[in-house]
Every structure is written in structure tokens, then in C-alpha cells.
Amino acid sequence: STTPSRTPPTARVACCPPLGKMVKYSVAPEAGVKSCKAKASDIRVHFKNTRETAMAIRGKSLNDAKSYLNAVIERKRCIVFRRFCGGVGRTAQAKAEGSTNGQGRWPVKSCKFLLDMLKNAESNAETKGLDTDMLYVAHIQVQQAMHQRRRTYRAHGRINPYQSSPCHVNMILQSKAEPVAKAAEEKAVVKLTRKQKAKLASGTSSA
């Protein structure tokens, strides 16, 4: 009997691209606008919590985003859960953040990861000579990464999957447009009717 030939290890085809090369920026910075970028791949933090935290800081200035995340870590403010809100408890802090359902949490691990990314983007901005006080979070996106598999042992000899849910994050900070002074408008000439002219004339003659 002949033994089946095995494929040499060098000839095996990889089932997926290597980790760390899977993330691309989904959008490009606006042309002519000063910007900086930062991204993280396969970070070991839960996708759903990180997505809600990222949506909470989108559109905020860099300083406001950092102070907000620090306040969440100290449990002085909360992250409002709008999409992945199944089974999320309610808190009075969520209503203060503009929530309609009152559901919110304090995902400390996600806040710390996003704080590190904001500091990284700030360093990139300083390297490019940008004014960090004028930066705001123009784009931030969280994507699901490949699950990391483990196992947990159950009763009667069964085994269940015990997976983590990592994620990819990419963000773009842009400088705010400087306000342009509005040009002085010429006063429009008001046209009077014959009756209005007659009233004005009678009023000046009687005086």
C-alpha cells in the first residue's frame, strides 16, 4: 500500500491574510484640509463597547474627546449605547448625554485604548506641525476583527466555544476651518409707496 503524499509546508496556501495588514482607511482626508491619522489592528478589546465609545467622541474636538473619556474612566460621565443596547442597564448619566432610552455603561478598557489612539494621533499632528487645539475627530470607524478562539468545559463532558471579539479602529483628525469675517453688506434702498410718501410729507409739514 502506498502512503498518501503530503503537501510540503512551504506549498500550503494561507487561509487568511496575516494579521496587522487587514485594516485600510475607509475614507481619505479631505483635499486641502490639514489632517492626521491613527489606526490600531486586532486590539484585544470588545467590538461592541468600542464602537459605542467611538461614536460618542465622533465630531468632538481633540481636547473635549480626551476629557470626556477621562471622565468616563472616573465614572463621572457615561457612554450612551444606541445600537448594541440589548440588556444594557439604565443610568441617569445617559439622559444627561442626550440618550433617548437612558441606557449607558462605563467601558473603561475601550476608553483607555481610544485615549492611547488620540495621543498617538496628537503626536502625529505635532510631527506635521499642526495646531492640536484646532483638531477634531472628523472620522472614526470600528470594525470587527477575527475572533480569537478558546474553549470552556461544561457538564457531562461537553465543550463550548469561548471566544473574544477584538476589533480594528481607524480615525482621522482634521483642523477646523478658520472663521471668515463676513463682508459688510450695503443697506438696501427701501422703496416707498405713494401713500407712505404722502404720510411722511404730511408729518414733516405739520411739525
Side-chain angles (χ1 to χ4, degrees):
S1 62
T2 59
T3 57
S5 60
R6 293 183 178 180
T7 307
T10 55
R12 291 175 185 169
V13 180
C15 61
C16 61
L19 298 179
K21 295 185 179 180
M22 301 171 65
V23 181
K24 294 182 179 180
Y25 289 95
S26 57
V27 298
E30 296 179 13
V33 179
K34 296 179 180 178
S35 62
C36 60
K37 300 188 289 187
K39 73 175 182 178
S41 304
D42 296 288
I43 55 177
R44 190 70 179 271
V45 63
H46 204 281
F47 160 71
K48 293 182 180 181
N49 291 343
T50 309
R51 186 265 172 194
E52 299 291 351
T53 308
M55 294 301 103
I57 65 172
R58 184 174 63 178
K60 292 182 180 293
S61 66
L62 176 60
N63 295 329
D64 288 346
K66 290 195 296 184
S67 62
Y68 177 49
L69 294 178
N70 284 320
V72 173
I73 293 173
E74 297 172 0
R75 288 181 173 261
K76 294 179 180 178
R77 299 174 69 179
C78 77
I79 298 295
V80 176
F81 276 59
R82 304 181 189 276
R83 175 176 294 180
F84 303 108
C85 53
V88 178
R90 287 168 170 79
T91 174
Q93 291 182 357
K95 188 175 181 181
E97 301 297 335
S99 171
T100 56
N101 54 17
Q103 293 176 291
R105 281 180 175 171
W106 300 266
V108 174
K109 192 173 179 181
S110 298
C111 291
K112 289 182 178 179
F113 269 99
L114 291 180
L115 264 177
D116 291 340
M117 288 192 65
L118 288 173
K119 292 176 182 177
N120 189 2
E122 186 177 8
S123 299
N124 295 340
E126 291 174 352
T127 303
K128 297 175 71 173
L130 304 181
D131 184 6
T132 56
D133 293 333
M134 297 294 292
L135 294 176
Y136 74 101
V137 184
H139 167 78
I140 184 167
Q141 186 173 15
V142 182
Q143 300 167 333
Q144 282 184 295
M146 186 181 296
H147 289 284
Q148 297 181 3
R149 299 182 62 87
R150 289 180 291 169
R151 60 175 63 179
T152 183
Y153 301 93
R154 311 304 296 269
H156 310 295
R158 292 176 296 131
I159 292 177
N160 281 3
Y162 204 73
Q163 303 181 90
S164 64
S165 301
C167 58
H168 311 305
V169 184
N170 57 67
M171 67 170 61
I172 297 176
L173 306 184
Q174 291 183 357
S175 294
K176 295 180 181 178
E178 297 181 358
V180 179
K182 189 175 181 180
E185 296 181 356
E186 296 180 359
K187 292 184 179 180
V189 179
V190 180
K191 293 184 178 181
L192 301 177
T193 61
R194 287 183 294 175
K195 290 183 179 180
Q196 291 173 339
K197 290 179 181 179
K199 284 183 180 180
L200 287 175
S202 62
T204 54
S205 61
S206 60

